[in-house]
Amino acid sequence: MDLDRPALTQEITHLARLAGAKILTIYNQDFDVRTKSDASPVTEADVAAEKIILDGLRALTPDIPILAEESAAAGDIPDLSGGVFWLVDPLDGTKEFVHKRGEFTVNIALVEHGKPTMGVIHIPAKNTSYFAEGPGKVWRQDGSGPAKEISTRRAPEVGLTVVASRSHRTPETDAYIEKFEVAELISAGSSLKLCLVAEGAADLYPRFGRTMEWDIGAGQAILEAAGGRVETVDGAPLLYGKDGHDNPYFIAKGRS
């Protein structure tokens, strides 16, 4: 698709930051928590952030459909047969948001023919953004400081740094981690885990638990642009646009 990728990357990063500012406004006051049909929590921050992002994306790229978490939960599933679509999780890590732990993120990704190719993850509580324009073009920006290129690292010969879910740790995850010599095990929430592997702060993130495409699309775009990869447990590529949009279990890895 003929897109101005540098400009579009900046635009979606700006949208994620606008959504993050709205989320923080709600985070710093009292808010209600509802439970969706899949038993996951949702707040007014999820809904308000998604509206900001959807309005912005429709203005930027009116011809590209948008698959967004809260809209999908309400039954609004667009036609994705063209193979190119936006993937939005307006507030990943709602449990971290509800418990005031700060480890929640805003996620926007562009999927092209099954693969996330561009993405942004914004961490409102830290005012930090990770964004990827394409292979080898991926950055981290803290506040209004300069954007710094990031990349995965090669796994050290002695002892991996492994990151695992704070709220969704499973026995299968622990059994997988036990196969490796681990120097450090980090617990973290939301798509932040993929960012840690992308910037070389961790080597491995195994996920043996339910995730949806919007949970990890932006993180996969960022990690793979930084030289890593996301695979199923059988070593197959993790693809997007699946029926139901559930992901299989997956392993996110740094540089080989």
Side-chain angles (χ1 to χ4, degrees):
M1 177 170 278
D2 186 18
L3 297 169
D4 183 345
R5 293 176 188 270
L8 195 53
T9 301
Q10 293 304 310
E11 293 284 2
I12 63 172
T13 302
H14 177 64
L15 279 179
R17 289 171 177 160
L18 288 177
K22 181 64 175 179
I23 288 169
L24 279 184
T25 299
I26 297 169
Y27 182 68
N28 290 321
Q29 61 190 32
D30 293 333
F31 53 83
D32 294 326
V33 182
R34 295 183 287 109
T35 302
K36 292 190 287 190
S37 59
D38 64 357
S40 63
V42 62
T43 72
E44 60 190 286
D46 299 74
V47 177
E50 183 163 299
K51 184 179 187 308
I52 290 170
I53 296 167
L54 265 57
D55 288 349
L57 290 177
R58 286 168 180 151
L60 284 170
T61 54
D63 296 329
I64 299 180
I66 307 167
L67 177 63
E69 179 178 14
E70 304 312 327
S71 298
D76 183 4
I77 306 292
D79 178 7
L80 305 180
S81 59
V84 179
F85 61 94
W86 291 109
L87 190 58
V88 174
D89 189 342
L91 203 173
D92 185 41
T94 301
K95 287 184 178 179
E96 311 303 322
F97 177 87
V98 169
H99 294 293
K100 303 278 188 175
R101 287 196 282 253
E103 293 181 342
F104 50 88
T105 58
V106 180
N107 300 258
I108 306 172
L110 182 67
V111 175
E112 298 180 87
H113 308 293
K115 297 182 178 182
T117 56
M118 298 170 55
V120 57
I121 291 176
H122 179 62
I123 309 168
K126 296 183 177 181
N127 196 18
T128 293
S129 303
Y130 297 81
F131 46 97
E133 179 187 316
K137 298 178 179 179
V138 56
W139 300 268
R140 169 179 170 156
Q141 186 173 20
D142 296 305
S144 58
K148 299 179 180 179
E149 290 187 357
I150 61 170
S151 66
T152 54
R153 69 180 187 185
R154 292 193 182 279
E157 294 183 5
V158 180
L160 300 181
T161 297
V162 179
V163 62
S165 175
R166 186 184 301 284
S167 299
H168 303 281
R169 185 89 162 261
T170 63
E172 293 93 335
T173 302
D174 291 336
Y176 182 84
I177 292 171
E178 287 174 1
K179 298 177 181 179
F180 300 91
E181 183 177 348
V182 177
E184 183 179 9
L185 179 60
I186 301 170
S187 293
S190 73
S191 56
L192 176 60
K193 297 182 286 293
L194 289 157
C195 296
L196 293 175
V197 181
E199 66 183 346
D203 305 295
L204 187 67
Y205 163 37
R207 182 58 181 251
F208 291 79
R210 190 183 189 217
T211 60
M212 305 299 290
E213 292 183 359
W214 46 76
D215 291 322
I216 66 164
Q220 183 170 345
I222 289 165
L223 175 56
E224 293 186 345
R229 62 191 189 279
V230 181
E231 302 172 338
T232 71
V233 294
D234 297 323
L238 186 64
L239 300 177
Y240 291 73
K242 304 179 291 296
D243 289 343
H245 309 292
D246 285 83
N247 294 318
Y249 296 163
F250 65 84
I251 311 296
K253 304 175 181 179
R255 196 175 303 270
S256 298

